């Protein structure tokens, strides 16, 4: 009996260690190791400071100048989780998945699918030179002949819910699952968007600087084999 108990304990520990090893912290709370900054204004003027910094152990996106903080590594079949809050006035920001070609739209936004974090619109999809399908596509996106992935085309696909964001100053929890060419998004535990048939299946992950100061913490990525139901 004692040997059986020891064997079971060893198996539980092994499973726990394997699960833990599949989750990776993307921020160390000290610097931006593992990420790189892509801010067009920094190319034009060497005196321009990066809008991304570590403050009190948190990642801060200052909002200006506009640009992106992009992982060095690519990811496929993963769950991205993080917490965020607007540090001052509520405004705009976003998390991007399947990131590839930089500055592919308006010489600013990388080719990707954006999961919107704009206040009162968190969970929207934005198609940036990549596309995705959702249920009730025409009802949610608009007339089919106006769909597109660039320019003045209808690139936004609104989220499924209202009132899921926390009051200003409180932390919001976002979960983004990407499996093959499908994406599911939860905000504060509530499913807010689901899409499939995306035109990409893997890529880098990016966070935006887009007009508002935003704080991030507990940014983690975990390998997955199926989408959460």
């Amino acid at each position: 009996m004692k040997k059986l108990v020891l064997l079971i304990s060893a198996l539980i520990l092994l499973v726990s260690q394997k699960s833990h090893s599949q989750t990776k912290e993307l921020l160390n709370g000290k610097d931006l190791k593992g990420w790189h900054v892509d801010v067009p204004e920094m190319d034009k003027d060497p005196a321009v400071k990066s809008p991304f910094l570590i403050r009190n152990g948190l990642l801060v996106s200052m909002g200006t100048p506009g640009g992106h903080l992009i992982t060095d590594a690519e990811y496929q079949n993963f769950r991205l989780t993080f917490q965020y809050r607007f540090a001052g006035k509520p405004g705009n920001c976003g998390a991007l998945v399947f990131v590839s070609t930089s500055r592919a739209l308006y010489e600013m936004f990388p080719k990707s699918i954006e999961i919107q974090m704009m206040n009162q619109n968190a969970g929207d999809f934005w198609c940036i030179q990549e596309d995705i399908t959702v249920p009730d596509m025409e009802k949610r996106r608009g007339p089919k002949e106006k769909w597109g992935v660039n320019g003045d085309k209808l690139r936004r696909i609104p989220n499924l819910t209202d009132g899921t964001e926390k009051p200003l100053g409180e932390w919001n929890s976002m979960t983004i699952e990407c499996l093959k060419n499908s994406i599911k998004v939860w905000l504060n535990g509530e499913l807010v968007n689901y899409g499939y048939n995306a035109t990409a299946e893997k890529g880098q992950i990016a966070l935006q600087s887009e007009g508002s100061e935003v704080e991030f913490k507990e940014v983690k990525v975990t390998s997955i084999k199926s989408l959460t139901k």
Side-chain angles (χ1 to χ4, degrees):
M1 178 61 75
K2 186 176 181 180
K3 289 183 178 179
L4 180 59
V5 171
L6 289 173
L7 179 60
I8 292 172
S9 297
L11 287 171
I12 292 173
L13 179 62
L14 181 62
V15 170
S16 175
Q17 288 177 338
K18 185 177 181 181
S19 176
H20 181 72
S21 67
Q22 291 177 335
T23 298
K24 178 182 179 182
E25 296 267 4
L26 294 184
L27 292 170
N28 59 25
K30 300 176 182 178
D31 54 35
L32 298 178
K33 184 178 180 180
W35 301 75
H36 60 274
V37 173
D38 183 32
V39 176
E41 286 297 318
M42 293 176 66
D43 294 349
K44 300 174 185 177
D45 184 355
V48 173
K49 294 183 179 180
S50 169
F52 301 101
L53 55 96
I54 300 296
R55 183 176 67 200
N56 299 324
L58 305 176
L59 169 64
V60 183
S61 170
M62 297 302 294
T64 55
H68 297 82
L69 183 67
I70 306 172
T71 59
D72 296 335
E74 287 189 345
Y75 296 92
Q76 184 175 20
N77 299 332
F78 64 91
R79 177 186 301 114
L80 173 67
T81 59
F82 60 88
Q83 294 189 50
Y84 76 92
R85 67 180 179 186
F86 289 97
K89 295 181 180 180
N92 200 4
C93 195
L96 286 62
V97 297
F98 302 155
V99 174
S100 58
T101 307
S102 63
R103 307 184 191 183
L105 181 66
Y106 306 141
E107 298 183 348
M108 169 67 74
F109 300 92
K111 190 175 182 181
S112 60
I113 301 289
E114 177 185 347
I115 292 82
Q116 180 67 269
M117 291 162 51
M118 177 187 282
N119 184 245
Q120 302 305 316
N121 292 282
D124 293 357
F125 288 139
W126 276 90
C127 299
I128 306 174
Q129 304 289 26
E130 298 284 11
D131 214 343
I132 194 166
T133 303
V134 301
D136 300 321
M137 188 81 152
E138 289 195 64
K139 180 180 178 181
R140 295 174 59 193
R141 193 169 181 175
K144 188 173 183 179
E145 62 273 15
K146 295 184 179 181
W147 297 351
V149 297
N150 53 40
D152 60 356
K153 300 293 186 179
L154 295 179
R155 299 186 295 109
R156 177 188 176 222
I157 305 175
N159 65 61
L160 297 168
T161 65
D162 291 318
T164 48
E165 297 171 49
K166 297 288 185 68
L168 181 63
E170 294 186 21
W171 288 99
N172 292 282
S173 176
M174 183 168 276
T175 298
I176 303 167
E177 289 188 351
C178 300
L179 185 77
K180 295 183 179 178
N181 58 1
S182 294
I183 303 174
K184 292 183 85 170
V185 183
W186 292 262
L187 182 64
N188 298 321
E190 186 169 348
L191 181 68
V192 294
N193 222 333
Y194 166 60
Y196 50 92
N197 290 339
T199 52
E201 294 189 1
K202 64 180 180 179
Q204 296 154 294
I205 294 168
L207 299 172
Q208 286 184 330
S209 171
E210 198 177 11
S212 300
E213 184 176 336
V214 183
E215 295 177 332
F216 294 86
K217 67 178 181 178
E218 299 180 16
V219 183
K220 302 176 184 180
V221 64
T222 304
S223 298
I224 61 171
K225 295 183 178 180
S226 62
L227 294 171
T228 300
K229 295 182 179 179

